[in-house]
Amino acid sequence: MKIAVILGLYGLAYWRGCTLLNGKGRRGHRLWFGCIMLYCAYVNISGITGAPHIGVSTLYIAFFQPAGRAIIKWLGG
């Protein structure tokens, strides 16, 4: 029930946002807005269910942190 309410609220927020993004050349803006809302709903529902999710820090942990360690090791630290 909680997930259905959250999805309904995200749907309402998307509908309201799309009504504010009207006019010429706003199709791309609505698309990006929908992608952001979809990602936010995904992270929110993943947090509720306790499922692992891909977040902003995943890229850092997977790629930049090992590269930083390698550079520090390479520099002799």
Side-chain angles (χ1 to χ4, degrees):
M1 183 65 184
K2 187 187 252 187
I3 294 173
V5 170
I6 288 174
L7 286 176
L9 290 173
Y10 273 109
L12 182 66
Y14 178 72
W15 174 76
R16 178 66 179 145
C18 282
T19 58
L20 294 174
L21 288 172
N22 55 6
K24 286 179 89 173
R26 298 294 184 178
R27 179 172 285 172
H29 292 223
R30 285 192 296 263
L31 176 67
W32 281 112
F33 180 63
C35 291
I36 291 169
M37 293 293 290
L38 188 65
Y39 176 73
C40 290
Y42 161 71
V43 170
N44 197 343
I45 291 171
S46 295
I48 290 171
T49 60
H53 63 279
I54 298 173
V56 177
S57 62
T58 305
L59 182 67
Y60 169 75
I61 292 169
F63 297 108
F64 297 118
Q65 203 171 31
R69 283 193 201 116
I71 290 171
I72 288 171
K73 187 176 179 181
W74 177 64
L75 291 174

